[in-house]
Amino acid sequence: MQADPRRFPRIPFAALAAVAMAPFAGAQIGQNLLANASFESGSLSPWNVVAGSVAVASYGTAPLPGAGVANTVLGGNRLLRDNGGGAVEQIVTPTSIPAGASLFVDGYFGGGTEDDSRVVVRFLDANNAQLGIHAGGYATEAQRNYEAVLLYRSLVVPVPVGTVHVAVRIEFRNFYCCGGAQGAADNLTAELVVGSTVPSAWPQQTELLANPGFEAGWSGGSPLTLVDPRGWEGAGGSCVVKPYSNSDPTVPNGLVSCRIGGALPSNSCGPTAVGSVLTHNGNAAVRQTIDLRGNTPQFASGNVWLHLAASLGGVGGEPDSAQIDFRYIGVNNQTLGTGSLAPVGAAERNYETLLLRREQDFPVVAGTAYLELTVSFADYTCCGGSRGLVDNVSAMLVPSPSLAPVPLNVDLVDNSGFEVGSVPGSPLELLNPAGWRGQGASRCAAVTYGGADTPSAAFATARSLGFQLLHDGGTSALAQWIDLRGSAGLIANGRMAMQASAWLGGYANEPDTAAVRIRFLDDYLASVGFQQVLPPVTAAERQNQTTLLQRLSLPFAVPQTAAYAIVEVVFADYNCCGGSRGLADDVRLVAFDITQQSAASPYPGTGGDLVLMTGVNSLPRTGPGHYVKDAAVGDVLRTVVGSPNGTLDGAPMVLAVNVIPTGQPPLPTVPGLVLDPTTAVTIFNGLGGGAVGPLVIPLSQGGNVWNQQIPPGTQGLSLLVQALCLQWNNQQSSNGLFFGSEGHEIRLQ
């Protein structure tokens, strides 16, 4: 036998009834008091018509719900239908009613695409005098998403003292004179329950929403589940579920679905697009209401928060969008607080057809009994269709979050080299709320080195710039927010400074450029302090070559009230007809404590044309954010020493290392030397060890390369590495003795 899907919401009552059966054996606890509650007899009896005209009809009789609805709600073959403003009532007399009992009534209510129905309960004494009346909510046509369906409704009310009879009434509303009466109802239950009717508390880190990914609608195109009391219901307009598609331009493709988990809980990344996404017809919304009364006592402490997340987006340049709003509701239906996840506009999506992840934590207001969550669509185009998109909405109760301190001496910019966009050609990471977001008037793209209007792959390799860079698409821009609130104390004391760097350039003699801006906002999102700028590299500076030059800012103080830093890559397109050719790569921002160091490098060298690059199981890199790295036993430390401009090629060179306790570098002895020369040793070559040869070796054209596997027994120590080179070819160093690269610290975990 197929289980009644309504057993889910009634599990607490069934359990209570089982406990209560012994002392109230004759009280019909947990038993349906209604007869012919599903109207399968084909007649109304013992229901009495008390208003208008009502009849029993078959599912599928136009314009009533069809067989698909009947199968979903286990409605059998028949249901109750309105013939015009009708109502029926059944009066029952329980054998006995225990003191403190409540009446639990539920059923399915709705109809065709118009009209609606609800349940009303009246309590009567022995003389049929009314002691109380309670009405459930109508399953309105808007809540039904203008579909011909029935929605689950329930009502729990205390039984007044003196009650002998209970009257259960089904009422219909008929709104339209010419469309015929379409209200319907089925599968009613009325049970006596004893004990608390407050549901159990939700565990933290548990998904509160039903059908969060819109994969479980009662039909392929509907977000409604019908049988789950938490399920989505319409809240205005019409929403529709559509499949991801590799051929339909009005929805994202299968790769986007793969990247965001669009088919969860059974996600797939095969060649065929899978999964479903919620979209809309005009301005529309769906809503869920979650009963949190079991958690209400927990909210008084202020230590329980709401974690809200969703993937929001749209199609190409269409402005239609979606947002998530929520409302905290008290036991008396009063609003205690509100909040939202802001929509993702076309510019933020970089004018791509995709969805970006939004997430945020909100404190739960004391006294909250219910959470109402609404997904709403804004349709801005009368003729281009409705193109807002939503998927994988999530709401969880979580502990009060703690803010992580800003990491020092590391690159704070995520995907600073534009290597890890979620889809080809895009700089955006779809599941990373802290990643790059568009904010310009046109789309910019992640493109490969070696293209028709980008520098060569050899250029990128020599400078450890990876395989991709950012290419202008007109007057375009990207932005990334960095949360500084976890280091509020350090910032307020004036101890945090930053340094920024980027490789900027363009194509041939084209005047198009790229610049980087860093600005700061306070907790109220008001601008504070001065904007920092890495200026564009002009065509003249590039000598009309297709190339990039590195810009490095001076260290700058973080404003003492700053809560966020915003890093922006901004393109200027000056040539209307020659295409958009500004270029940018390797955008970095590094924070440091000015009481410990004066610049982003904790181990400054002499400057000059000697560069040390290191990588742990990755491409060797240097510059702000790459001077301090973590490594574990068995990892491979990759080291490159080079002279980017070739001025020191062939010069005698030493690559040396100090093994130091982490956080305890040696005291400087000579300007530009970060090592203790009395304990420095040469780097060994090869994964198994083996000396590199003479202590002093010539610096090779294109750089010298070493690989070293981290041996066991080194945890808790650091390798402090520096390259040193004698003065060469009349190149003078700042200390007049030698060139020293900036030092790199490899912290061994």
Side-chain angles (χ1 to χ4, degrees):
M1 176 183 294
Q2 189 174 4
D4 184 342
R6 293 176 301 167
R7 290 297 103 185
F8 169 79
R10 290 162 57 191
I11 286 174
F13 302 121
L16 287 167
V19 172
M21 283 298 288
F24 303 114
Q28 297 176 285
I29 299 297
Q31 299 178 26
N32 191 357
L33 302 175
L34 299 174
N36 193 22
S38 59
F39 310 101
E40 291 301 306
S41 69
S43 69
L44 286 174
S45 178
W47 297 91
N48 296 306
V49 178
V50 295
S53 175
V54 179
V56 175
S58 297
Y59 280 94
T61 302
L64 300 177
V69 174
N71 291 335
T72 302
V73 305
L74 301 183
N77 298 312
R78 296 181 175 87
L79 75 170
L80 186 68
R81 71 162 298 171
D82 182 28
N83 281 327
V88 297
E89 186 174 74
Q90 185 175 152
I91 299 176
V92 297
T93 305
T95 54
S96 65
I97 301 176
S102 296
L103 183 71
F104 172 65
V105 181
D106 70 350
Y108 292 96
F109 302 88
T113 56
E114 302 173 1
D115 305 335
D116 55 29
S117 60
R118 70 173 181 179
V119 66
V120 177
V121 174
R122 298 189 302 129
F123 296 103
L124 310 174
D125 66 12
N127 298 315
N128 289 325
Q130 186 168 291
L131 301 176
I133 183 170
H134 300 268
Y138 283 103
T140 67
E141 56 192 20
Q143 291 169 333
R144 302 196 308 272
N145 198 39
Y146 297 95
E147 302 176 40
V149 295
L150 303 176
L151 298 179
Y152 178 83
R153 289 287 184 268
S154 65
L155 183 66
V156 184
V157 291
V159 179
V161 175
T163 295
V164 175
H165 311 291
V166 176
V168 178
R169 176 178 297 192
I170 303 172
E171 294 183 347
F172 296 96
R173 292 192 299 187
N174 180 212
F175 295 104
Y176 303 103
C177 66
C178 307
Q182 300 185 22
D186 199 6
N187 271 5
L188 270 74
T189 299
E191 298 178 355
L192 291 172
V193 295
V194 293
S196 173
T197 58
V198 175
S200 301
W202 288 91
Q204 294 189 11
Q205 309 287 353
T206 299
E207 181 59 62
L208 301 176
L209 299 177
N211 192 22
F214 307 101
E215 302 296 322
W218 77 273
S219 72
S222 175
L224 310 181
T225 54
L226 307 188
V227 298
D228 196 323
R230 295 177 297 150
W232 297 110
E233 294 187 357
S238 173
C239 295
V240 61
V241 174
K242 297 181 69 174
Y244 290 93
S245 173
N246 293 329
S247 57
D248 183 352
T250 68
V251 292
N253 61 29
L255 181 58
V256 171
S257 174
C258 161
R259 293 289 190 259
I260 70 169
L264 290 173
S266 301
N267 201 43
S268 171
C269 290
T272 303
V274 296
S276 300
V277 62
L278 185 69
T279 184
H280 58 117
N281 294 311
N283 295 320
V286 292
R287 176 176 295 149
Q288 284 196 39
T289 301
I290 298 95
D291 191 339
L292 298 178
R293 288 177 296 158
N295 298 86
T296 300
Q298 303 171 6
F299 301 149
S301 68
N303 294 325
V304 180
W305 287 49
L306 174 68
H307 178 76
L308 196 59
S311 290
L312 307 173
V315 176
E318 292 273 355
D320 302 341
S321 63
Q323 71 181 53
I324 311 296
D325 299 293
F326 70 87
R327 183 166 68 106
Y328 296 131
I329 303 173
V331 291
N332 297 316
N333 203 36
Q334 74 274 31
T335 298
L336 300 178
T338 61
S340 65
L341 293 179
V344 173
E348 189 172 355
R349 291 186 279 104
N350 196 37
Y351 304 97
E352 302 177 47
T353 300
L354 45 74
L355 300 95
L356 297 176
R357 196 68 174 167
R358 284 263 200 263
E359 59 181 40
Q360 191 172 344
D361 293 325
F362 304 88
V364 181
V365 176
T368 294
Y370 301 93
L371 171 68
E372 179 186 85
L373 189 142
T374 304
V375 178
S376 57
F377 293 94
D379 190 348
Y380 295 101
T381 53
C382 67
C383 309
S386 301
R387 302 289 190 259
L389 302 169
V390 177
D391 204 353
N392 289 347
V393 185
S394 177
M396 296 184 183
L397 298 177
V398 297
S400 175
S402 58
L403 296 171
V406 177
L408 303 180
N409 295 316
V410 298
D411 185 10
L412 301 178
V413 179
D414 187 83
N415 191 21
S416 59
F418 310 103
E419 302 289 328
V420 292
S422 295
V423 296
S426 175
L428 308 182
E429 297 173 89
L430 306 189
L431 286 182
N432 183 4
W436 292 111
R437 295 290 188 264
Q439 66 173 24
S442 59
R443 179 179 182 271
C444 48
V447 300
T448 59
Y449 284 97
D453 57 358
T454 60
S456 68
F459 169 90
T461 299
R463 291 154 182 82
S464 195
L465 291 176
F467 302 98
Q468 295 191 148
L469 72 163
L470 191 65
H471 192 296
D472 182 19
T475 308
S476 53
L478 290 183
Q480 188 171 141
W481 286 50
I482 298 170
D483 193 339
L484 307 178
R485 292 174 298 166
S487 292
L490 191 70
I491 294 170
N493 290 328
R495 291 174 53 189
M496 181 180 285
M498 289 182 170
Q499 197 166 5
S501 69
W503 288 80
L504 307 173
Y507 170 73
N509 63 350
E510 293 269 356
D512 302 339
T513 61
V516 173
R517 302 187 304 219
I518 297 97
R519 54 192 180 93
F520 297 95
L521 304 180
D522 63 14
D523 277 313
Y524 301 98
L525 305 186
S527 294
V528 293
F530 296 101
Q531 178 175 272
Q532 306 294 325
V533 178
L534 295 176
V537 172
T538 66
E541 288 178 287
R542 293 186 281 105
Q543 300 180 352
N544 294 328
Q545 300 296 308
T546 301
T547 191
L548 305 172
L549 300 180
Q550 189 176 35
R551 294 289 200 210
L552 177 65
S553 78
L554 294 173
F556 52 88
V558 176
Q560 290 176 282
T561 57
Y564 303 94
I566 304 178
V567 181
E568 299 170 322
V569 182
V570 182
F571 291 99
D573 188 4
Y574 296 102
N575 191 336
C576 68
C577 308
S580 303
R581 303 284 173 73
L583 303 172
D585 200 2
D586 201 23
V587 179
R588 306 183 199 169
L589 182 66
V590 177
F592 58 92
D593 185 340
I594 61 174
T595 65
Q596 299 179 9
Q597 59 197 70
S598 61
S601 172
Y603 306 109
T606 62
D609 194 27
L610 181 65
V611 172
L612 168 66
M613 296 181 285
T614 59
V616 178
N617 300 328
S618 63
L619 197 68
R621 307 186 75 179
T622 192
H626 293 284
Y627 300 121
V628 179
K629 300 178 172 74
D630 292 331
V633 172
D635 287 344
V636 175
L637 173 63
R638 298 173 178 173
T639 307
V640 176
V641 179
S643 176
N645 297 317
T647 60
L648 298 178
D649 286 351
M653 185 271 293
V654 171
L655 180 63
V657 60
N658 279 148
V659 179
I660 62 173
T662 297
Q664 300 180 36
L667 296 175
T669 56
V670 179
L673 179 65
V674 303
L675 302 175
D676 179 352
T678 64
T679 59
V681 297
T682 58
I683 290 289
F684 291 93
N685 187 35
L687 295 181
V692 298
L695 177 64
V696 178
I697 61 174
L699 184 60
S700 301
Q701 185 176 9
N704 299 65
V705 180
W706 290 268
N707 294 313
Q708 174 66 44
Q709 191 170 38
I710 303 300
T714 55
Q715 294 91 330
L717 301 174
S718 287
L719 303 178
L720 184 57
V721 187
Q722 186 179 28
L724 305 170
C725 180
L726 297 180
Q727 297 185 121
W728 188 255
N729 289 338
N730 298 318
Q731 299 294 314
Q732 297 296 311
S733 67
S734 60
N735 63 15
L737 299 172
F738 57 84
F739 289 97
S741 72
E742 290 168 313
H744 286 216
E745 181 182 356
I746 313 301
R747 295 177 175 174
L748 307 176
Q749 307 297 308

